[in-house]
Each structure stands twice: as structure tokens, then as C-alpha cells.
């Protein structure tokens, strides 16, 4: 299988890594060489960790050798499946899928790793709605079990089956849902993170206490503010905006503190500061 990934950020890098671990030939594209180099270094570090723990069936070098890094979209021409993992912005993703629909071979399948944006709208932009689907991996991809599979309005049964089987070949558990804002995962998760941010804004408790209460009291592996920093506050804000706009209910209003922190460039772990410093 020739597997394409667009975006070498935290999600794209993780998806490419797991695809290569599964024996696929992988091509990763990003807009600048600098992001590709950073993505490659992150994959290398993750593979070393998994290798130390005896969790890989090939060596890190063999796995990395299956990944080709490029800045050219035309490199996807022969791909059987291309998964997009760029910034959570509908216009930018739609523009990319318009181009991809012309580049990738006609029977190639296109998928988005979007957290919340309507799959059906991206499918329309791609010009091949039957061969378009949501393939939503969870962060960190090498460790998380779930792939949420989201069918667009015109996604064919064959496309859904192919992507489900591919997720299984990648050692993941695919679970299906329909195309509603935020799907299942983020419709339920993100309002909780947003509410934790609102608690900080209202002075209900310090961030450490809010995280501690949810970790120790609810057995969550990470507190909600640590998790929001881990996901990226810009991504959290984009998801809340999609939920608010798409469902038309003020219960999904993004916290003003979340908005302000994104405006200030405090994006969480990836920028070095969010609710905590890294
Ligand atoms: C926004 C969206 O659209 C959807 C989303 O993805 S929402 C986010 C979903 N993800 C979550 O909710 C994650 C919640 N957190 C967790 O499940 C856990 O904290 C976790 C699995 C990430 C880490 O596990 P942990 O036991 O809590 O922490 P930690 O001890 O730091 O990590 C366990 C090991 O995995 C390793 N590890 C962490 N990330 C890794 C990676 N990417 N690759 C390889 N190893 C990794 C750590 O280095 C650590 O190794 P050691 O034990 O050798 O030190
Ligand atoms: N973070 C998370 O926990 C999760 C995120 N997602 C989704 O995955 C997607 C990616 O998120 P994440 O990996 O966190 O984001 P990152 O910011 O880590 O990575 C996005 C990458 O895509 C690049 N990029 C931006 N625009 C383009 C473009 N036009 N063409 C090619 N590459 C581009 C970015 O470059 P630059 O830096 O220049 O913008 C960056 O390298 C989003 O849709 C997000 O909602 C899904 C599950 C979990």
C-alpha cells in the first residue's frame, strides 16, 4: 500500500510513523522543509522509545526508511490512500482537497484527520465524494487505540470498508459515526476542556487543582488543562468554533480565556506555554 500523509505536525508525524510501522510505503508532505525535519526527528524519538520497550517488529531505521519526506503535492499521484492532517481550518483544508482531487490517481481514497470540520463539505471540495472519508486518529497516535471513522453524505461502502480495514492493519480499533459537528469524540471531550478553561477564568481553582481533581477524582490520565495544552489551544478553539457555529447552541461558546490565550500566541505545549510552561 502506498500511504500519503499531508502535514508533518504532531498528528501527521504520528500517522506516518504508525503507517510505516505497519509496513506501508509512506510519503509525507508539508509546506516547508523545516517542518519535515522536525517531524522526522519526532518520529525518530518515538521509534527509539518503542524499540527500547521491544514494541517494534522491525528496527527504527527500517521503519524510517519506509517514509519519504517531500514538499511536493505531486508526490501523492500514485497513493492508494492520502490522510490530511494540516491546520484545523475549513478554507485551508478545502483548498488543499481541491488540488489533491486533481493530483491523486482517480481510484485513490482521500481522508481527513480533522477534529470537527464537516467531512461532507471537504468531500465536495475534493471532487470525489464517494472516495472521501474522515479518518480521525487520536493524539498521541503511536499510543492511542481509537480511529474514529466518519462517513460523509456520499461516502461509498467500499471506501468505508477500505479505511476500516486499513485502520485495523495499523493495529487500531476503528469505530464509526456519522458526520455531525465534532463527531462523537470532540462533541463530548471539547466542552469539558472548555469548561475547565472557564473555571480558570472565573477563579474557581488554580489550574493544578482543576487538573488534580479530574485526574484523582475521575481517573482521567491527564487533567483537562494539561490535555488542552497537549492538543494545542488553537486546535481547541477551532473545534469549539465549529461546534458553536454548527450546532447553533450557546452551550458550545468558546471560553473568552481560550480565545485570549490563542490571540496571545499561548498555544500550549507546541509554543512552549499554555496553562503550563514547557
Ligand atoms: C483533539 C482531537 O481531535 C482528538 C484527540 O486526540 S483528543 C486527545 C486524546 N488523547 C488523550 O486523551 C490522551 C490522554 N493521555 C493519556 O492517555 C496518557 O497520558 C498517555 C497515553 C498520553 C501517556 O501515558 P502516561 O502513562 O500518562 O504518561 P507517560 O508516563 O508520560 O507515558 C508513558 C510512556 O509512553 C511514552 N510516550 C509518550 N508519548 C509517546 C510517543 N508519541 N511515542 C512513543 N512513546 C511515547 C512516554 O515516554 C512514556 O515512556 P516511559 O514509561 O518509558 O517514560
Ligand atoms: N492535536 C491533536 O490532539 C489532534 C489534532 N487533530 C487534527 O489534526 C490536524 C493537525 O493537527 P496537529 O497535528 O495538532 O497540528 P500541528 O500544528 O502540529 O501540525 C499541522 C501541520 O500542518 C502544516 N500545514 C499547515 N498548512 C498546510 C498546508 N496548506 N499544506 C501542508 N501542510 C500544512 C503545518 O505547518 P505550519 O506550522 O506552517 O502551519 C504543520 O506542520 C488538525 O485538523 C487537528 O484538528 C486530530 C486529532 C488530535
Amino acid at each position: 500500500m502506498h500511504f500519503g500523509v499531508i502535514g508533518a505536525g504532531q498528528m501527521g508525524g504520528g500517522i506516518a510513523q504508525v503507517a510505516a510501522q505497519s509496513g506501508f510505503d509512506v510519503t509525507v508532505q508539508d509546506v516547508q522543509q523545516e517542518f519535515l525535519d522536525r517531524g522526522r526527528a519526532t518520529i525518530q524519538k518515538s521509534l527509539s522509545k518503542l524499540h527500547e520497550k521491544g514494541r517494534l517488529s522491525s528496527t527504527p531505521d527500517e521503519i524510517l526508511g519506509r517514509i519519504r519526506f517531500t514538499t511536493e503535492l505531486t508526490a501523492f499521484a500514485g497513493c492508494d490512500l492520502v490522510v490530511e492532517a494540516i491546520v484545523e481550518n475549513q478554507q485551508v483544508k478545502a483548498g488543499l482537497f481541491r488540488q489533491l482531487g486533481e493530483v491523486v490517481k482517480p481510484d485513490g481514497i482521500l481522508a481527513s484527520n480533522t477534529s470537527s470540520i464537516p467531512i461532507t463539505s471537504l468531500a465536495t471540495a475534493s471532487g470525489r465524494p464517494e472516495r472521501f472519508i474522515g479518518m480521525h486518529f487520536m493524539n498521541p497516535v503511536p499510543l492511542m487505540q481509537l480511529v474514529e471513522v466518519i462517513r460523509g453524505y456520499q461516502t461509498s461502502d467500499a471506501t468505508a470498508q477500505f479505511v476500516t480495514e486499513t485502520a485495523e492493519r495499523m493495529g487500531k480499533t476503528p469505530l464509526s459515526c456519522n458526520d455531525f459537528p465534532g463527531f462523537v469524540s470532540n462533541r463530548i471531550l471539547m466542552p469539558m476542556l472548555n469548561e475547565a478553561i472557564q473555571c480558570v477564568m472565573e477563579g474557581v481553582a488554580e489550574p493544578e487543582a482543576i487538573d488534580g481533581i479530574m485526574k484523582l477524582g475521575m481517573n482521567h490520565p491527564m487533567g483537562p488543562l494539561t490535555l488542552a495544552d497537549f492538543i494545542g489551544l488553537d486546535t481547541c478553539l477551532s473545534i469549539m468554533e465549529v461546534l458553536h457555529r454548527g450546532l447553533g447552541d450557546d452551550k458550545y461558546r468558546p471560553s473568552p480565556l481560550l480565545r485570549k490565550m490563542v490571540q496571545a500566541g499561548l498555544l500550549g505545549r507546541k509554543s512552549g506555554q499554555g496553562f503550563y510552561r514547557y
Side-chain angles (χ1 to χ4, degrees):
M1 151 111 81
H2 192 172
F3 192 108
V5 180
I6 310 188
Q10 52 180 343
M11 294 306 293
I15 296 166
Q17 175 186 330
V18 175
Q21 282 172 221
S22 316
F24 303 153
D25 288 327
V26 183
T27 299
V28 184
Q29 185 266 359
D30 207 312
V31 281
Q32 280 189 43
Q33 188 60 40
E34 184 195 337
F35 303 132
L36 292 169
D37 294 343
R38 205 188 309 150
R40 188 190 167 90
T42 307
I43 294 173
Q44 211 151 19
K45 207 164 126 197
S46 172
L47 287 173
S48 308
K49 270 235 155 237
L50 296 172
H51 183 59
E52 274 168 29
K53 293 179 184 167
R55 288 181 55 190
L56 296 180
S57 48
S58 333
T59 65
D61 281 349
E62 273 170 337
I63 295 170
L64 209 51
R66 291 188 200 119
I67 310 179
R68 178 179 163 213
F69 295 86
T70 177
T71 52
E72 301 296 328
L73 267 191
T74 48
F76 292 120
C79 281
D80 303 300
L81 171 65
V82 179
V83 182
E84 164 278 319
I86 66 168
V87 62
E88 186 72 349
N89 175 301
Q90 183 160 352
Q91 277 70 41
V92 179
K93 283 191 196 289
L96 174 68
F97 278 119
R98 236 169 259 124
Q99 291 181 61
L100 262 192
E102 294 183 359
V103 165
V104 177
K105 63 181 181 182
D107 58 346
I109 290 174
L110 304 183
S112 177
N113 183 56
T114 177
S115 298
S116 60
I117 294 168
I119 296 301
T120 304
S121 70
L122 299 178
T124 302
S126 78
R128 54 176 83 184
E130 325 74 42
R131 286 182 307 292
F132 194 100
I133 197 159
M135 191 178 190
H136 186 202
F137 290 83
M138 299 293 126
N139 191 11
V141 183
L143 303 187
M144 301 294 285
Q145 195 57 41
L146 175 70
V147 174
E148 194 176 32
V149 176
I150 307 111
R151 291 184 71 144
Y153 193 66
Q154 296 174 85
T155 303
S156 70
D157 290 344
T159 298
Q161 191 182 341
F162 179 81
V163 164
T164 299
E165 285 170 5
T166 302
E168 283 165 352
R169 286 175 69 191
M170 294 171 81
K172 303 296 183 194
T173 303
L175 292 174
S176 298
C177 71
N178 291 318
D179 187 19
F180 282 81
F183 320 128
V184 171
S185 54
N186 282 315
R187 179 152 174 184
I188 296 175
L189 173 69
M190 217 35 82
M192 184 188 71
L193 305 193
N194 194 52
E195 202 58 32
I197 297 169
Q198 197 61 19
C199 285
V200 177
M201 195 180 104
E202 292 175 14
V204 179
E206 293 298 319
E208 291 80 0
I210 293 169
D211 276 350
I213 286 165
M214 297 305 287
K215 274 181 75 173
L216 302 178
M218 321 305 162
N219 258 1
H220 289 187
M222 286 175 168
L225 301 168
T226 303
L227 184 55
D229 272 0
F230 180 60
I231 291 168
L233 300 187
D234 52 341
T235 302
C236 292
L237 177 59
S238 300
I239 297 170
M240 284 310 297
E241 281 172 338
V242 169
L243 289 175
H244 193 205
R245 215 173 31 243
L247 295 163
D249 188 328
D250 274 348
K251 76 179 179 186
Y252 300 107
R253 184 177 71 111
S255 168
L257 176 59
L258 173 60
R259 202 179 284 289
K260 203 180 291 180
M261 288 177 75
V262 173
Q263 285 166 352
L266 305 179
L267 306 182
R269 199 175 272 272
K270 65 181 162 189
S271 75
Q273 192 180 342
F275 290 97
Y276 303 98
R277 283 181 187 278
Y278 300 92

